[in-house]
Amino acid sequence: MKKLFAACIMLVVFSGCGKDPAVPADYLGGGVLKDSSIYFPQNYVLSVSKPNPTAAEALKPVIITCHGYSASTYEWSEFRAWSAGQTDYLISNVLLAGHGTTYDEFKNSTWHHWQASIKAEYNKLKAAGYKNINFAASSTSCPLLLDMVHEGFFNTASSKVRIFLIDPVIIPSNKSLSLVGIVGPVLGYVESKDEAGEQKFYYHYRPQETLQQLQSLLNVVRTELQSGFSLPQNVYMKVYKSKKDPTADPVSAVLIYNGLKTAAGTPIDLEMINSSLHVFTRLNLVPNVTAADRANQLYTFNDIVMRIF
C-alpha cells in the first residue's frame, strides 16, 4: 500500500471520470509484466514446491509472507534474499488474489478474495503435514490477519502460530481514503506517486472499487478492535510499527495494542521502530536509504526468525 492516499478531490479534476486507465505495457497490470510467482509458483509457494514434505521438513518452521494492498510478492523479496541458503526454516510467498496480474483482475477483487489467498496457503500447508506455520505480514495484510484471528480461524490450530505484523494499517495517515465512497465512482481510479521502477511491482493505477474494498476492510477491523478481542491460546503476535509512517498512521499500532490481548489477558508485543518509511523492511527502490534503515530491516528479520523456533 505504497503512497496510496493522494488528494482525492484534486483527482476528480485530473482523472478520467469513471473510465479505466490506459496502463502502459511495462507497468504492473499492463498485461506484460506479472508477478513471477504466477509463472514460477514452485519458486515462491511452499505448497507447490514441497507438497509432500519429509518428516524432517514438516517440523521446520514455515513463514508465510503476505504483502500489502496494490503490491506483489516483491514486497518480501529482500527477506527471501536475506534467507537464501539457510536450511532451518522455509518460506512461502503468498500473492493476494487479484494482485500481480491485470488491472481488471485487480479491479474485480475484494478484500475477502485477498484474505482467501492467505487462508488457502495455510490450509494447504497444514493438510500437507507442516507443524510450525507462521506469518509475516505487511501493511494491508495485517488487518486481513487480524480479522482471521477475530473470526476464530486459528482457534483449532494444533501447534503454535506466530504472527508478525509490519507497519499495519488500521488508520491511514492521509484521511482522504474516507472520501472514496463519495468521489470514487467519479474518479474511476487513483494514480499513485511512485518511485522509479516501482510501477513494475506496485499498481500505479488503483481502481476506486479496490479502494472501497480497502476502506471496508479497515472499517471492519477497526470496529473489531474497538470492541476488543483476544488471541487464541496457541497464537503469538508481535507488531513492528514505524514511528513516522507516511501511509499507516502510527495510531494504528495503538488501536491494535489497546484492542487485542493475549489469551492470558496481557498486552501483545509492540515495538515502535525509529523509521519514516512505510513497510520499513522493504528498501529496494526506496530513495535515500540510510544506514539506520538497513539496521532496522536487519534487526527485524533476525527478530522474526529468532521467534519462530
Side-chain angles (χ1 to χ4, degrees):
M1 195 174 132
K2 187 93 169 64
K3 300 180 181 71
L4 171 60
F5 308 109
C8 285
I9 296 298
M10 291 298 293
L11 284 168
V12 172
V13 177
F14 295 110
S15 294
C17 296
K19 297 180 180 178
D20 290 341
V23 185
D26 59 344
Y27 280 29
L28 183 61
V32 176
L33 291 173
K34 296 184 179 180
D35 192 279
S36 296
S37 67
I38 298 172
Y39 294 114
F40 308 104
Q42 68 277 10
N43 295 336
Y44 292 83
V45 185
L46 188 60
S47 64
V48 176
S49 63
K50 293 183 181 294
N52 300 297
T54 65
E57 288 172 338
L59 293 176
K60 289 184 178 182
V62 174
I63 302 175
I64 298 176
T65 66
C66 316
H67 62 79
Y69 167 82
S70 82
S72 62
T73 58
Y74 177 80
E75 195 151 84
W76 283 96
S77 60
E78 289 161 80
F79 179 64
R80 190 176 190 85
W82 179 80
S83 299
Q86 64 72 37
T87 58
D88 293 336
Y89 61 95
L90 303 167
I91 297 174
S92 187
N93 296 122
V94 166
L95 178 66
L96 302 187
H99 287 69
T101 57
T102 67
Y103 178 85
D104 283 341
E105 286 188 39
F106 186 37
K107 176 180 177 179
N108 292 320
S109 65
T110 70
W111 72 262
H112 294 287
H113 293 143
W114 310 340
Q115 187 183 69
S117 302
I118 301 172
K119 292 179 176 180
E121 180 62 4
Y122 176 83
N123 286 334
K124 288 176 183 177
L125 294 176
K126 185 177 177 182
Y130 289 96
K131 306 297 184 184
N132 185 348
I133 308 173
N134 312 282
F135 296 88
S138 53
S139 195
T140 299
S141 274
C142 300
L144 293 174
L145 277 161
L146 287 167
D147 180 68
M148 288 167 60
V149 172
H150 180 267
E151 71 175 25
F153 182 82
F154 299 107
N155 287 0
T156 59
S158 58
S159 58
K160 191 78 172 180
V161 178
R162 301 161 186 87
I163 301 174
F164 306 98
L165 305 184
I166 309 296
D167 285 337
V169 56
I170 306 297
I171 303 293
S173 293
N174 187 313
K175 306 307 183 282
S176 58
L177 181 63
S178 62
L179 300 175
V180 71
I182 301 171
V183 302
V186 179
L187 290 174
Y189 61 89
V190 170
E191 291 189 51
S192 172
K193 182 181 178 182
D194 308 304
E195 302 296 343
E198 289 185 334
Q199 301 90 347
K200 297 179 180 180
F201 307 106
Y202 293 82
Y203 284 99
H204 175 76
Y205 299 98
R206 283 83 185 273
Q208 64 91 12
E209 291 87 351
T210 61
L211 291 171
Q212 292 205 43
Q213 286 297 314
L214 176 60
Q215 176 72 353
S216 176
L217 167 65
L218 300 186
N219 286 341
V220 166
V221 176
R222 184 170 62 251
T223 299
E224 292 170 351
L225 289 168
Q226 289 170 343
S227 297
F229 61 102
S230 299
L231 297 172
Q233 186 68 42
N234 58 333
V235 175
Y236 167 84
M237 181 178 290
K238 180 172 182 179
V239 175
Y240 307 81
K241 188 72 189 72
S242 179
K243 289 182 179 179
K244 299 179 181 179
D245 192 325
T247 298
D249 193 314
V251 77
S252 298
V254 177
L255 288 175
I256 297 171
Y257 187 80
N258 289 337
L260 182 61
K261 302 300 180 186
T262 69
T266 59
I268 63 168
D269 282 351
L270 167 63
E271 186 164 1
M272 300 302 293
I273 304 296
N274 190 21
S275 170
S276 59
L277 302 176
H278 180 59
V279 188
F280 67 88
T281 50
R282 195 276 287 185
L283 301 178
N284 286 345
L285 302 179
V286 175
N288 305 315
V289 170
T290 67
D293 293 329
R294 298 201 179 280
N296 287 336
Q297 182 193 61
L298 182 60
Y299 162 76
T300 304
F301 288 170
N302 277 305
D303 194 55
I304 288 172
V305 169
M306 178 270 293
R307 292 174 185 275
I308 61 176
F309 292 96

